[in-house]
Structure formats: C-alpha cells, structure tokens
Amino acid sequence: MSTYTPAVEDLINELAKLPGIGKKTAARLAFHILRSSQEDAQALVRSILRVKERIGLCRVCFNLAEGEMCTICRNSQRDCSVLCVVEEPNDLIAIEATGVFKGIYHVLHGAIAPLDGVGPQELKIAELLERLKQGGVAEVILATNPTVEGDATSLYLAKVVKPLGITVTRIAQGIPAGGDIEYVDSKTMSKSLEGRREV
Amino acid sequence: MSTYTPAVEDLINELAKLPGIGKKTAARLAFHILRSSQEDAQALVRSILRVKERIGLCRVCFNLAEGEMCTICRNSQRDCSVLCVVEEPNDLIAIEATGVFKGIYHVLHGAIAPLDGVGPQELKIAELLERLKQGGVAEVILATNPTVEGDATSLYLAKVVKPLGITVTRIAQGIPAGGDIEYVDSKTMSKSLEGRREV
C-alpha cells in the first residue's frame, strides 16, 4: 500500500516520466512543488503551457522558433554559404555556445536508426535537399553525433549531398580538450589517430 | 547571447528552481517537454495544479492529506498509544515503507535551527503537546534526523514531553544495514558504540 495520497502519487508518476528522473527524485520534486508557494507552482505551469503553445519549428531550418522563423534564420549577419547539419535543437545550441560558427543550420530531428524504424524519410532530409537545391550553400558540415546512428546518417547525407556539387565535411572526432590519453577509450583513440593532421 | 527562445529560456529557469536540477538538466527536461505530446504536457500541468489545489495538511498530525485528515489518522487500525514524531512528510513515508510501525505520527515541518531562525514556535510543537495532553499516548518516538538540528529538536521535545508522564524514546543511531565497519565515519561509529545493547 502506498502512503502517498492519490494526487501526490499522480504527480510523482508524471514527474518520473521526465528523462533522468526516477521515482525517488520525482518524489523529492513533488514534495518541493507541494511546499512551494502557489505563485511558484503557477509560474512553472505557465512556462510549460507557454512553451507548448508558442514554440514551433522554424520553417526553414527546423530549429525551435517562436513564430515562423528561428532567430538564426532571421539573422541577416549569418553566413548563408556554410550550412551545419545537426540531429537535434540541443546540438545546435551546443555549437552556438562555442561562438565559432557563423553559418546557418539544418536540424534533422533524429538520426537514421533502422532498428528503431527511423529511415531517411522520418528525418528532415528531403527539406534539406530542397534548401540546398535553391543554391547559395557552398559547404555542408555534418555535425551528427559520433555514434553508429550519427555516423550512418552522415554517410547517407554525404552520398545525397555531394552530387549537388557541394563540399561536404564531417566534424572531427578525437580526444577531447583536457582529456588524458591514458584514459581515452580505444574507439576514440583510433578515430583520433585516423584524423591526425600535419602540423 | 542566449540561443534559446524566451519561452524556452523561461521554462529552463523555472525547472532549474527545482531541487537538484541544474541548468543543464533543466534544459534537458525542457526539451523533453517540448518534444512530448500536448497530452503529456497537459497531464503534467494538471497533476501539478491538482496537488496544489487538493493537498493540505492533516488537522491532527500535519501529514499531507487530501481532505481534513490523512489516511493514517483516518485508519482505526493504527495503535494510538505510540506516536512517532518526524520532521517532514517524506520521513513519515520512509518509516511507513518499513511496514514495522503501526502507531500514529506527528509531523513537525522542520527542525529547530536557530541559525536559520527556526525556533520551537515555527514548528508544530504546540500542536503536539496539545495532542499529548488529550491523553492516550504512552510512548513518543523521536524520529527526527540524526543531524545537529534533528538532535537538538529531539532534546527539546524530550524536555517538554517527559513532564507529561509519557515515555520518550529516540530512534537508534548506528552503522547501517549492509554497511562496512571499515568505512563507517567516526561519528556514526561512536554513536553505534554508545548505543550498544546486550545480546
């Protein structure tokens, strides 16, 4: 028999659906919400509803956007000749955080994963090719994850993009900054050796 | 410059207010909520609102309750001669999970912490004494946390409850089940030695 009241039990179950939140953490969060002021709880609820109501996908690059287009596609300062392909909006944010990339993006919303039933049609690949055919892009940077699915997606994209006469590059894989060669896994180390460059 | 849209930024900030949730985790949760269906987001929102609307404190023991009294105080099977004092409703749930305790509870909603400005008046101590004066309770078990604040609260409660002619006990402190004596901290070890019992 559970000693939570049904409403608390229900909230714990809902919170436990969030990624990385188990039952124990969900219970702690639920108790925090219980103890918090009515205003704080309302603010949380409002921000959830606002996100679900306002946020859509940019009609150009499929990044998250409030309105028709995202802030990057609306920004006339960006270099439209370099297009970076990422799996998810979070990846785009990680790249933006570096401040190094000044080009534009295309968000696939996933990676090719036949075992999960995700083929090229499930991703925003047709839309990418459509964009590229309109011209103006000289280089496509493939910034999918360094996983089996991400690599497979990159290979597929390289195959379909190259015939358009566009340079296709893949972000470098190797040992991370501040990493310790002694403790680097062999897969990363072999990628690092493979990708060695003349200095 | 942030690359999140204002609505997403706002949701991340709200989520980051939850305990144990930093900015990175909050962003992951926000993206999950963004990706989840409208129904899932609504279910989460509804359960938050329901908890804030329905859950109050039991007028007898100050446990969480839907309605006037909590499930434990409403349960006529419980042994009303043994009363267990805890700091928070979560503590009550942890004790209930053992299935060992068949008595009733009293939730203080905190512990005496002069540095944080929490004195006996801020806790449900007057209400506890009122309950005890009505008679029927033979033993009060002090199950406050084994911290400076919890121990201080226990000492204070023992001082005010004993004059009522009620037996006052404190839950045992010692090495945890499955623990390894070699790695037990010295504070716990000394408590364990202090609390030794004849076998």
Side-chain angles (χ1 to χ4, degrees), chain A residues 51 54-59 61-74 88-90 92-93 107 109, chain B residues 3-5 8 12 27 30-32 34-35:
Chain A
V51 148
R54 291 212 199 151
I55 305 285
L57 298 180
C58 171
R59 66 177 169 76
C61 75
F62 302 97
N63 181 18
L64 300 175
E66 287 186 49
E68 284 256 290
M69 280 165 77
C70 74
T71 47
I72 294 168
C73 288
R74 271 204 305 255
E88 299 288 351
N90 326 20
L92 182 158
I93 283 157
V107 184
H109 287 273
Chain B
T3 46
Y4 295 111
T5 74
V8 176
I12 293 174
F31 276 108
H32 176 88
L34 262 169
R35 266 198 301 265

Side-chain angles (χ1 to χ4, degrees), chain B residues 84-105:
Chain B
C84 179
V85 178
V86 293
E87 291 181 19
E88 298 288 349
N90 327 19
D91 302 332
L92 182 157
I93 283 158
I95 294 172
E96 278 298 286
T98 66
V100 167
F101 184 67
K102 302 292 177 204
I104 52 175
Y105 292 92

Side-chain angles (χ1 to χ4, degrees), chain B residues 119-141:
Chain B
Q121 323 71 248
E122 271 73 48
L123 308 175
K124 305 291 183 192
I125 291 180
E127 291 84 348
L128 170 65
L129 296 176
E130 204 49 55
R131 274 180 88 182
L132 296 176
K133 277 172 193 160
Q134 284 165 22
V137 177
E139 180 183 356
V140 166
I141 302 175

Side-chain angles (χ1 to χ4, degrees), chain A residues 87-88 109-123 147-150 153:
Chain A
E87 291 181 20
E88 299 288 351
H109 287 273
I112 296 173
L115 291 178
D116 299 331
V118 181
Q121 322 72 249
E122 269 74 48
L123 307 175
T147 56
V148 175
E149 291 81 11
T153 309

